[in-house]
C-alpha cells in the first residue's frame, strides 16, 4: 500500500477543494458534525473508522486511504515525542 505524504486534514482539504465543496456541506452529506469535520481538517481531531468509511463512500475512495493517512500522521507525531522516547528507552525487550 502506498504511503501518504499528507496529514489527514490536508488530505481532506485536498478532496474538498478538488470537488469545490466546503466542510459544512461535506459534514451534512456524510452525516457528521460540522465541528468534527472542521477539527479533522485542522489536524486537531482524528479520523475515526466511522468517518473514514463515510469519506470513502462520499469521495469514491477506500477507507484505508483515510485510515492510513491518520496512522502515518500519528506515528510521525509519536516519533517526535521526546517524553515517549524517554519512556521507550526504559522498556526492555520481551525474553523467551
Amino acid at each position: 500500500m502506498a504511503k501518504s505524504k499528507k496529514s489527514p486534514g490536508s488530505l481532506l482539504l485536498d478532496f474538498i477543494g478538488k470537488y469545490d465543496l466546503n466542510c459544512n456541506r461535506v459534514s451534512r452529506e456524510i452525516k457528521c458534525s460540522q465541528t468534527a469535520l472542521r477539527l479533522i481538517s485542522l489536524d486537531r481531531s482524528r479520523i475515526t473508522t466511522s468517518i473514514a468509511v463515510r469519506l470513502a463512500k462520499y469521495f469514491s475512495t477506500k477507507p484505508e486511504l483515510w485510515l492510513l493517512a491518520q496512522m502515518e500522521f500519528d506515528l510521525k507525531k509519536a516519533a517526535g515525542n521526546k517524553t515517549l522516547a524517554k519512556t521507550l528507552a526504559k522498556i526492555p525487550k520481551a525474553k523467551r
Side-chain angles (χ1 to χ4, degrees):
M1 196 173 278
K3 287 193 174 187
S4 170
K5 303 263 189 240
K6 298 190 170 281
S7 72
S10 62
L11 180 63
L12 175 59
L13 291 175
D14 283 354
F15 272 89
I16 286 172
K18 178 181 175 182
Y19 288 90
D20 196 27
L21 300 167
N22 60 54
C23 279
N24 293 340
R25 180 172 171 191
V26 174
S27 68
R28 264 193 326 272
E29 293 186 356
I30 69 168
K31 311 290 188 249
C32 87
S33 79
Q34 292 178 6
T35 302
L37 212 60
R38 179 72 58 202
L39 290 173
I40 289 168
S41 75
L42 297 170
D43 291 320
R44 292 178 52 204
S45 186
R46 303 183 81 252
I47 293 181
T48 63
T49 305
S50 175
I51 297 293
V53 171
R54 293 168 196 223
L55 290 171
K57 165 88 172 157
Y58 189 69
F59 290 117
S60 299
T61 64
K62 294 187 177 198
E64 293 87 349
L65 172 75
W66 303 98
L67 294 172
L68 180 63
Q70 184 64 60
M71 180 186 69
E72 289 174 351
F73 181 76
D74 291 345
L75 288 171
K76 185 176 179 181
K77 207 161 109 177
N81 183 323
K82 292 179 182 179
T83 303
L84 178 58
K86 287 178 186 178
T87 300
L88 292 174
K90 296 175 185 175
I91 297 174
K93 296 195 185 237
K95 296 178 184 174
R96 290 183 176 220

